[in-house]
Amino acid sequence: MNNQAAQSATGLDVLHHCLGPAASAWPQANGRLLHGSEPLGDWLKRSGQSTPAYVYHLAAIDQQVAVVRAVLPSNLHLHYAIKANPNQRIIQHLSRQIDGFDCASLAEMQQIIAIAPDKAAQASIAGPAKSDDELAFAISHGILINAESANELRRIQALAAQKKQRARVALRINPPFEVKGSGMKMGGGARPFGIDSEDIPTLIRQWQAETSSWIDLEGFHLYTGSQNRDATALGAGFRAAMDLIIELSQACDFTPRHLNLGGGFGVVYHPQDAPLDLAALQPALLEVSATAQTHWPGVRLNLELGRYLVAGAGIYLTRIVDKKTSRGKTYLLCDGGMHHHLALSGNLGQILRRNWPIIAIDQLNAPCTHPFDLAGPLCTPLDVLGQNQELPELAVSDVIGVLQSGAYGLSASPNGFLSHPACGEYFLRD
Ligand SMILES: Cc1ncc(COP(=O)(O)O)c(C=O)c1O
């Protein structure tokens, strides 16, 4: 959207621009978001459902999975990174559509064993500072461990030997390059994540020389960053990752059976931004997958996506509790805030806070022509929901919805901060 268009945009325009095809999954009629056949706003009042709350819509996840599947070669598997949203129903729903899971903690692995035990062999755990409990649980359940250091490898060997159970391991590579365009970079330079690529051949040779190893070294994991909407940069990153994996494997005559190339697909958080062009990314995905099969026939190749699959499937709803003017600015003071949605306040990894896509759930067709400042209930200037944000005219008790809130929302926020009531989570009826 250019500035001119953005000025007279309606909530519906914002919804479609930011969510792309997943926007059509959100039911609406006569300018109102629906819950089944009833306007969501009416249902909130009638059912006594309180705000603030996250409302999720599983159909929007289906839409997003379909969009990704459409560009993936059939031998590039799609895993879900649970950290994006660990809601049990979301995991359950996704388990029927995707090929595996990326876990980041003991609790996330336990969720997989409880919800989708058949997917344990296609689950992995990544992250620095894994505890002995996490490593032992992964070993017991045959979950692949993405090892982040030489020391972690030694701990895995010791635990596996003690349990007399083989450990499935991939080496997480910290590459010598960064991928341009990632909102949060997690590879290149000095990092707590992964093993520096130059140290990998030595570790593989040590493992090859070890006669009593309890480790099955299956391959590599590489995750360089999150929230990247630049198809060219992502494609270049995948190609560079594959070149590096070939080089490392050839250096020590190692045949990987398992490669995880990460992902980091980004979504549109700001109406001025362009979406990730998946069609433009497809050639790189086809190329790396063909290259992998040429070098190591039958190798399993995975992507692990979080945000891209679930962000558009969540809307954070908050009610306007007070409206006031302060020295020329009109404030909408809301019952929801950074304790439920840290990213919205600009405090989750952003350098500069930018406005998120916000809609008035009962005025989707109204032009957004009124600039408001939106703040939450916390006694801190950090509790910002929007600044000079263009919305339709709004009054106390109206409900607004923050789009793209299905990822890194509730579970990524300081819920206990200031001891406000807990935030609800519910699912939209079709
Ligand atoms: C190892 C790993 N995999 C996957 C993800 C998911 O990333 P995203 O939600 O951007 O797809 C992350 C996010 O930090 C990660 O650290």
Side-chain angles (χ1 to χ4, degrees), residues 81 83 102 126 172 186 221 223 226-227 304-307 408:
K83 59 174 75 69
D102 160 52
R172 177 168 179 180
M186 296 170 75
H221 174 242
Y223 181 87
S226 185
Q227 181 50 17
E304 55 187 25
L305 302 184
R307 186 191 313 268
Y408 305 108

Side-chain angles (χ1 to χ4, degrees), residues 156-176:
I156 297 168
Q157 162 69 12
L159 284 163
Q162 195 186 330
K163 292 166 87 62
K164 298 205 179 335
Q165 222 177 329
R166 301 196 68 73
R168 299 179 56 220
V169 174
L171 301 181
R172 177 168 179 180
I173 306 171
N174 175 27

Side-chain angles (χ1 to χ4, degrees), residues 50-52 335 339-340 377 410 415 417-424:
S50 58
T51 52
D335 61 3
H339 53 317
H340 300 152
L410 191 56
N415 286 239
F417 188 33
L418 265 64
S419 305
H420 279 276
C423 180

Side-chain angles (χ1 to χ4, degrees), residues 138-418:
I139 295 168
S140 299
H141 291 85
I143 292 173
L144 183 73
I145 303 168
N146 293 314
E148 314 264 349
S149 73
N151 195 40
E152 190 171 282
L153 273 176
R154 284 190 284 274
R155 290 171 56 220
I156 297 168
Q157 162 69 12
L159 284 163
Q162 195 186 330
K163 292 166 87 62
K164 298 205 179 335
Q165 222 177 329
R166 301 196 68 73
R168 299 179 56 220
V169 174
L171 301 181
R172 177 168 179 180
I173 306 171
N174 175 27
F177 54 83
E178 286 185 346
V179 174
K180 228 182 74 207
S182 293
M184 232 185 253
K185 292 193 169 61
M186 296 170 75
R191 299 279 168 188
F193 315 107
I195 301 166
D196 293 348
S197 49
E198 57 275 27
D199 296 337
I200 297 250
T202 307
L203 288 177
I204 295 182
R205 286 193 200 102
Q206 281 169 359
W207 170 76
Q208 287 167 330
E210 176 66 67
T211 49
S212 55
S213 177
W214 285 89
I215 289 178
D216 288 334
L217 197 54
E218 296 196 0
F220 300 106
H221 174 242
L222 215 144
Y223 181 87
T224 50
S226 185
Q227 181 50 17
N228 196 330
R229 289 177 296 101
D230 182 340
T232 307
L234 275 174
F238 287 133
R239 290 186 174 105
M242 190 52 69
D243 289 347
L244 179 61
I245 290 169
I246 293 169
E247 183 192 316
L248 295 174
S249 303
Q250 286 178 345
C252 35
D253 202 16
F254 173 69
T255 303
R257 283 180 283 151
H258 190 121
L259 301 176
N260 187 330
L261 297 180
F265 293 13
V267 302
V268 175
Y269 284 115
H270 312 292
Q272 296 79 14
D273 291 345
L276 170 62
D277 183 351
L278 281 185
L281 181 60
Q282 190 179 34
L285 298 174
L286 294 173
E287 188 187 308
V288 292
S289 130
T291 305
Q293 295 306 330
T294 306
H295 279 81
W296 313 288
V299 65
R300 186 183 165 98
L301 202 60
N302 300 334
L303 287 184
E304 55 187 25
L305 302 184
R307 186 191 313 268
Y308 201 77
L309 298 182
V310 295
I315 298 182
Y316 179 59
L317 298 175
T318 174
R319 193 177 290 280
I320 298 163
V321 174
D322 198 0
K323 184 174 180 179
K324 72 173 201 184
T325 305
S326 169
R327 304 213 162 106
K329 279 191 179 184
T330 306
Y331 278 90
L332 300 177
L333 304 176
C334 304
D335 61 3
M338 68 179 286
H339 53 317
H340 300 152
H341 204 325
L342 189 63
L344 169 64
S345 71
N347 291 293
L348 189 69
Q350 300 97 316
I351 296 164
L352 286 177
R353 187 193 176 280
R354 295 173 70 198
N355 279 345
W356 280 52
I358 296 184
I359 55 169
I361 66 163
D362 288 321
Q363 298 186 63
L364 296 177
N365 293 331
C368 300
T369 47
H370 292 72
F372 290 114
D373 277 57
L374 296 101
L378 307 187
C379 297
T380 159
L382 300 178
D383 195 12
V384 171
L385 282 68
Q387 286 167 314
N388 208 19
Q389 180 124 16
E390 303 274 348
L391 288 163
E393 180 59 294
L394 284 160
V396 166
S397 96
D398 285 343
V399 175
I400 56 171
V402 183
L403 304 179
Q404 298 290 40
S405 296
Y408 305 108
L410 191 56
S411 68
S413 303
N415 286 239
F417 188 33
L418 265 64

